[in-house]
Amino acid sequence: MATLGMSAADKEAIEAFRRDVVEPSMTSLVILDFWAEWCGPCKALAPVLEKVAADYADKGVVLAKIDVDEQKMIAAQFRVQSIPTVYALFQGQLVADLTPARSESQLKQMLDQILRQLPIQGEADRMHEDIAPLIAMGEEVLEAGDTERALSIFAQLIEMAPEDAEVVSGLARAQIKAGDVDAADALLAGVPEDRAKEAPIARAQAALALAREATPLDDLGGLRARIAADPDDHEARFELAGGLMAADDRDGAADQLLESIARDRTWNDGAARQRLLKLLEVVGLEDPWVREQRRRLSAILFT
């Protein structure tokens, strides 16, 4: 904005706008709220904007408010004709009109779409990058079967990044491995609803569901004998798969479930397939072992 011929008040307003809006927008997404003291709808919308901005602060979102009566020049530059008017700015440029969003869910949906398209790194993203090597270490230790050490690693990480989905997932799965299913259940129950569908949380939820289903069995031999006598005893195979999962024998469990699917994929409304898919999700969909089991499942289903 040119400042030649402007009053001191206008120059001060422009400088404040550059400092409070343009400069933060270089690295953050700025929600720009045009409002006035006399505007009832503005006052009704304000708490929604403040809450969403607070919820999205760690994603690189900040809120700036422009009183159209006190900062007429700024409002004129943005051609604000009615209020409330709400824009989103990034790197000094208007990137979206948020005015149609009047509810928390609508505003969050619009912000999610915008943030997916812009190179904005919030505090949560920076923290995740910092602790990523430690998360990887925890996953490796957990996969190797050192549950106690994995618990220790993820317990320390949860103190550093309590809302990081991968940290929450790692700690929950370590707790499940340690046999503390109730602690994992409580941890996952505390995840906000809008984040519960994130892949790491879904993975932990699948692990929790399997832990509820998988029952340690003292006599796996009895189930094997039943299957040997009747290979189509799907109930015995299903129980054996649960016992093998409880014993951390994922190969054995997968073999039993795949054999059951091959013999009768519709048994018990596809229970064997559903349990197998949960097992694969728990291990991790990018894991080479999972890819191999998916290949085996596809061979059964499509040949």
Side-chain angles (χ1 to χ4, degrees), residues 92 165 179 233:
D233 188 341

Side-chain angles (χ1 to χ4, degrees), residues 146-158:
D146 192 345
T147 304
E148 185 174 346
R149 188 177 173 214
L151 274 171
S152 176
I153 292 172
F154 282 113
Q156 293 178 64
L157 288 173
I158 204 79

Side-chain angles (χ1 to χ4, degrees), residues 48-302:
V48 176
L49 296 175
E50 290 166 4
K51 182 180 186 304
V52 171
D55 290 345
Y56 278 62
D58 64 353
K59 297 182 179 181
V61 174
V62 297
L63 175 64
K65 300 176 73 67
I66 302 294
D67 186 324
V68 297
D69 289 334
E70 295 182 357
Q71 297 170 280
K72 292 183 174 65
M73 178 171 289
I74 301 299
Q77 288 288 333
F78 281 89
R79 299 180 181 177
V80 174
Q81 296 180 339
S82 63
I83 54 174
T85 290
V86 184
Y87 292 142
L89 271 72
F90 179 61
Q91 295 184 341
Q93 301 297 315
L94 192 153
V95 295
D97 182 356
L98 303 178
T99 307
R102 294 304 176 92
S103 70
E104 181 179 339
S105 62
Q106 290 173 340
L107 185 57
K108 286 185 173 181
Q109 184 176 10
M110 292 186 74
L111 287 177
D112 287 339
Q113 292 174 349
I114 296 167
L115 291 170
R116 281 195 291 267
Q117 301 174 49
L118 298 176
I120 296 173
Q121 188 177 60
E123 183 62 31
D125 297 315
R126 289 190 287 271
M127 173 61 77
H128 183 79
E129 284 190 2
D130 290 342
I131 64 175
L134 296 175
I135 295 174
M137 179 192 300
E139 292 289 353
E140 290 174 6
V141 169
L142 186 59
E143 176 66 20
D146 192 345
T147 304
E148 185 174 346
R149 188 177 173 214
L151 274 171
S152 176
I153 292 172
F154 282 113
Q156 293 178 64
L157 288 173
I158 204 79
E159 294 292 330
M160 300 167 61
E163 296 185 359
D164 189 291
E166 291 189 23
V167 172
V168 173
S169 175
L171 180 56
R173 287 181 288 109
Q175 290 170 332
I176 292 167
K177 282 271 192 177
D180 196 350
V181 175
D182 290 339
D185 194 2
L187 178 64
L188 294 173
V191 175
E193 186 177 349
D194 60 341
R195 304 195 65 188
K197 294 182 180 180
E198 293 183 22
I201 302 301
R203 182 183 180 190
Q205 291 284 12
L208 182 62
L210 277 185
R212 298 287 192 199
E213 295 176 9
T215 305
L217 299 174
D218 295 329
D219 184 21
L220 296 181
L223 291 171
R224 294 186 190 278
R226 282 175 55 185
I227 294 167
D230 180 6
D232 289 324
D233 188 341
H234 296 287
E235 184 176 348
R237 285 191 187 278
F238 197 75
E239 290 183 24
L240 179 58
L244 292 169
M245 286 190 298
D248 208 22
D249 182 358
R250 69 186 187 189
D251 288 319
D255 288 346
Q256 293 300 328
L257 293 170
L258 285 164
E259 182 64 23
S260 180
I261 295 166
R263 289 178 174 275
D264 185 356
R265 68 187 66 176
T266 64
W267 175 79
N268 197 18
D269 295 327
R273 181 173 177 271
Q274 293 171 25
R275 176 172 279 186
L276 176 65
L277 293 177
K278 284 182 184 177
L279 176 59
L280 301 186
E281 187 172 9
V282 170
V283 176
L285 300 182
E286 299 302 316
D287 190 282
W289 181 85
V290 170
R291 289 198 292 270
E292 173 60 20
Q293 306 316 309
R294 284 189 173 278
R295 185 195 63 76
R296 295 173 67 192
L297 177 60
S298 296
I300 290 171
L301 295 178
F302 300 110

Side-chain angles (χ1 to χ4, degrees), residues 11-24:
K11 290 180 180 179
E12 183 179 343
I14 290 174
E15 181 56 34
F17 183 78
R18 286 174 175 164
R19 181 187 65 245
D20 300 334
V21 178
V22 177
E23 290 180 9

